[in-house]
Amino acid sequence: MVKAVFPGSFDPPTFGHLNIVERVRSIFEELFVVVAVNKQKSGFFSPEERRDLLAELLEPFPNVKVMLCDTLIVEFAKLHGCRVLVRGVRSVPDFSYEFELSIMNKGLDPSIETIFMPTDPRYFVLRSSAIKELASFHGDLSAMVPPNVVRALKAKVGP
Ligand code: ADP
């Protein structure tokens, strides 16, 4: 059985991310959902806040672990015995970005494979960046993110 990593910013987690996790988790022995810490970009939520939101959402799934990573993802994968990186793809521009990233990761560690999971059509327009913008205008986010994320966004943007 193979272990996999699903890395991302998850700033914040959306129904699109959760859908990928739900579909992928039964394919693998263990799935690490990893909040990749980007030292160049300060997020809307801190990496720890994102990890805690994901941990709350994924708690029902015994073979899913939520972790932070401040190294290269391929290094994280190697360290945890994972042979596969999972990435979600919403659109053709997503695919060209993800394709380049996968080639770069393959160059860093040829033993680790990337697989792409196409989005569920219900979620193909969901983007963390658009959600943060909508939250700043107090828009209704209930169809895009789960209730704990709605609450966290409301608390962050204030009245
Ligand atoms: P990034 O790592 O580019 O910051 P995110 O953290 O937003 O991306 O997302 C992590 C992974 O989840 C990426 O592979 C991204 O393509 C995928 N993803 C994000 N939103 C969706 C969605 N609505 N449907 C499917 N996949 C998605």
Side-chain angles (χ1 to χ4, degrees):
M1 287 289 274
V2 177
K3 297 183 190 183
V5 182
F6 178 37
S9 310
F10 304 106
D11 190 29
T14 70
F15 284 133
H17 296 129
L18 295 182
N19 175 260
I20 299 287
V21 173
E22 278 167 27
R23 288 158 61 205
V24 155
R25 71 182 181 89
S26 56
I27 301 173
F28 296 103
E29 178 192 357
E30 198 165 25
L31 179 67
F32 291 85
V33 178
V34 170
V35 177
V37 179
N38 183 340
K39 288 173 191 141
Q40 262 69 264
K41 248 195 328 193
S42 66
F44 190 74
F45 289 103
S46 71
E48 291 76 14
E49 287 173 318
R50 292 177 242 160
R51 176 202 52 203
D52 293 349
L53 289 167
L54 281 168
E56 206 178 326
L57 294 163
L58 302 175
E59 209 251 344
F61 307 133
N63 71 331
V64 178
K65 281 205 176 82
V66 180
M67 294 180 80
L68 285 180
C69 167
D70 62 2
T71 63
L72 286 172
I73 287 298
V74 287
E75 283 172 12
F76 178 97
K78 194 115 189 159
L79 188 68
H80 292 87
C82 301
R83 274 177 42 211
V84 173
L85 301 181
V86 175
R87 296 289 287 176
V89 177
R90 284 162 292 206
S91 56
V92 172
D94 256 13
F95 179 76
S96 51
Y97 170 73
E98 295 294 343
F99 182 73
E100 281 185 22
L101 198 60
S102 74
I103 301 289
M104 199 178 74
N105 282 326
K106 191 80 179 162
L108 291 170
D109 188 337
S111 71
I112 294 172
E113 300 291 354
T114 297
I115 65 165
F116 302 124
M117 184 59 96
T119 188
D120 182 301
R122 284 175 295 172
Y123 306 125
F124 85 104
V125 294
L126 286 193
R127 253 166 225 289
S128 297
S129 54
I131 285 164
K132 285 178 273 194
E133 183 149 8
L134 199 53
S136 72
F137 290 108
H138 306 286
D140 179 10
L141 298 162
S142 56
M144 302 175 194
V145 296
N148 68 334
V149 176
V150 173
R151 284 193 298 276
L153 282 164
K154 281 189 178 154
K156 199 62 113 180
V157 298

